[in-house]
Amino acid sequence: MTVNRRTFGKAVAAGVAVTAAWRVPAASAASRNIGGLGCVLDASGRLVFLASVYDRMSSFLVYGRQRTPGLGPWDVTPIEYGTNGRTVALLDHQGRTAYFVRGNQGELWFGRQQPDGTWTKTVAVTQVLEICSAALGPDGRIRFLVQRGAGQLLSGVETAPGSGEFTTTTVLDGGVGAARLLVDSGGGARYLATRSDGTLWHGRQFGEVWQSEVVATGVEYPGSIAVVADASARLRFVLGSVTGPGKFGYQTGFDWVLGDLGLPSRSPLMALDVAGRLVHLASTPDDQLFWARKATAEEPAWTSAAIRPGVQFGLDTALDVNGKLCYFASGYGEVVHGWEKTPGGGDWDSTTIQLP
């Protein structure tokens, strides 16, 4: 598969706007839309991504995989039809690539790759508006978080590792906007969610029971959320805004701190680099991808730069086999893939990956 590579070099890494290197997408790309992407480093050391693609005639789920660990080119193939919205990718307890995506009839599909490269698919739950996130628990069972009608937040967990069958529990009943689930370094399943009354909720699962609390008020609704847990299992998060700078928050023991982010925050994403430092990625209203980093949540200032034009939304990240932080995103009907030039460095390179 041909990959169209664009290198923006040190000028972009330093935050200097570069427009000459960007090209207008071809008509076939311009007629497409790409939902939120999911990516993961698979058991072979290759990055893979999954994304829902929509064109004038159909919608389908594509699966892309590096031919060589840490390197392109990419093999991209459709694996399902009739998908819609955000895709979440993860590894199961045996290291197999798995995904969640919403079907066109509102069902939540759970797919898993088999050893021979084929895929199986089951319906995890019905009447879903969007898959929020998913994670593998320390007990080997996959967990997910979805939004249903009237803003209901629903949690699901596999009945047994590898079963592909799920039991569900209502976590918050009504008015939920954005939500994200993660499993922290201590093995606890946790979530953050916004509600229509401007509150931010935090929940943690104890056994099969969720305990929830309000940790902030006056937040944007529905907004967007990006969250990561550091090595001490404390949450660090960004509350995104389409037009404003958004908010940055973190835990300090049993207390929560929330303040102005001071950076772009459309479609935000939080991650840890190979050195364990906080990394924030988000797009700006004029479709620039913005990168920021700091060593700790308490550190007052972020090191930041614009690193790529033509990025809209749908961000996801993973560390590659060499320890480089990599991202995948949607940009004008194309999949945008970027990576650190050196592990933990501040310079970035990027490419677009052609779709079938």
Side-chain angles (χ1 to χ4, degrees):
M1 175 148 304
T2 303
V3 174
N4 178 21
R5 180 174 298 277
R6 299 293 182 190
T7 302
F8 293 91
K10 295 182 179 180
V12 174
V16 178
V18 177
T19 57
W22 182 248
R23 63 182 177 83
V24 177
S28 59
S31 65
R32 285 175 167 166
N33 290 305
I34 300 175
L37 294 92
C39 69
V40 70
L41 184 69
D42 74 8
S44 73
R46 294 171 172 85
L47 286 173
V48 303
F49 71 88
L50 293 109
S52 281
V53 180
Y54 322 87
D55 59 26
R56 296 187 181 99
M57 301 298 294
S58 63
S59 62
F60 51 96
L61 183 68
V62 297
Y63 166 68
R65 184 172 186 254
Q66 289 176 319
R67 291 184 187 173
T68 304
L71 298 171
W74 292 79
D75 294 314
V76 185
T77 56
I79 61 171
E80 276 296 346
Y81 290 86
T83 58
N84 189 294
R86 188 168 184 263
T87 308
V88 172
L90 70 162
L91 298 182
D92 74 359
H93 70 298
Q94 294 182 330
R96 294 177 294 180
T97 302
Y99 69 83
F100 288 96
V101 68
R102 182 184 181 273
N104 283 341
Q105 303 303 313
E107 69 276 30
L108 180 66
W109 291 352
F110 171 68
R112 185 172 0 225
Q113 193 173 37
Q114 301 305 302
D116 63 359
T118 61
W119 295 83
T120 60
K121 181 188 72 175
T122 59
V123 175
V125 68
T126 58
Q127 300 177 349
V128 169
L129 292 180
E130 184 182 44
I131 172 69
C132 299
S133 48
L136 179 67
D139 57 3
R141 297 187 296 169
I142 290 174
R143 290 158 167 79
F144 68 79
L145 202 64
V146 295
Q147 188 180 13
R148 300 183 95 177
Q152 185 186 60
L153 192 63
L154 198 72
S155 169
V157 61
E158 263 188 310
T159 56
S163 70
E165 298 178 352
F166 297 85
T167 58
T168 58
T169 303
T170 299
V171 178
L172 287 177
D173 194 6
V176 175
R180 288 293 180 266
L181 170 79
L182 57 76
V183 174
D184 65 27
S185 58
R190 306 168 72 177
Y191 77 84
L192 288 174
T194 62
R195 297 190 78 174
S196 56
D197 60 359
T199 54
L200 176 68
W201 286 72
H202 167 249
R204 183 160 190 169
Q205 193 173 29
F206 296 89
E208 301 301 319
V209 178
W210 285 91
Q211 294 184 3
S212 303
E213 61 177 339
V214 175
V215 296
T217 59
V219 303
E220 184 173 313
Y221 175 85
S224 53
I225 297 175
V227 59
V228 69
D230 68 7
S232 62
R234 295 177 300 175
L235 300 191
R236 282 78 177 90
F237 60 93
V238 168
L239 303 180
S241 172
V242 175
T243 58
K247 302 286 186 180
F248 174 67
Y250 56 93
Q251 282 181 292
T252 58
F254 293 102
D255 297 322
W256 296 78
V257 176
L258 184 66
D260 290 335
L261 175 65
L263 297 168
S265 65
R266 189 182 72 170
S267 190
L269 189 139
M270 291 286 290
L272 299 177
D273 70 7
V274 70
R277 293 172 296 188
L278 293 171
V279 174
H280 164 64
L281 291 166
S283 60
T284 64
D286 62 349
D287 299 336
Q288 295 274 338
L289 181 60
F290 208 84
W291 162 86
R293 183 182 67 199
K294 62 180 178 178
T296 66
E298 294 79 10
E299 188 176 324
W302 296 81
T303 299
S304 61
I307 60 172
R308 164 86 194 205
V311 173
Q312 296 172 291
F313 48 79
L315 282 161
D316 199 10
T317 62
L319 290 172
D320 76 0
V321 69
N322 299 311
K324 297 178 182 180
L325 188 64
C326 302
Y327 69 81
F328 294 83
S330 172
Y332 303 138
E334 296 181 312
V335 172
V336 179
H337 169 49
W339 59 94
E340 295 174 311
K341 291 183 178 181
T342 58
D347 291 340
W348 292 76
D349 206 344
S350 60
T351 186
T352 56
I353 301 174
Q354 290 187 2
L355 299 177

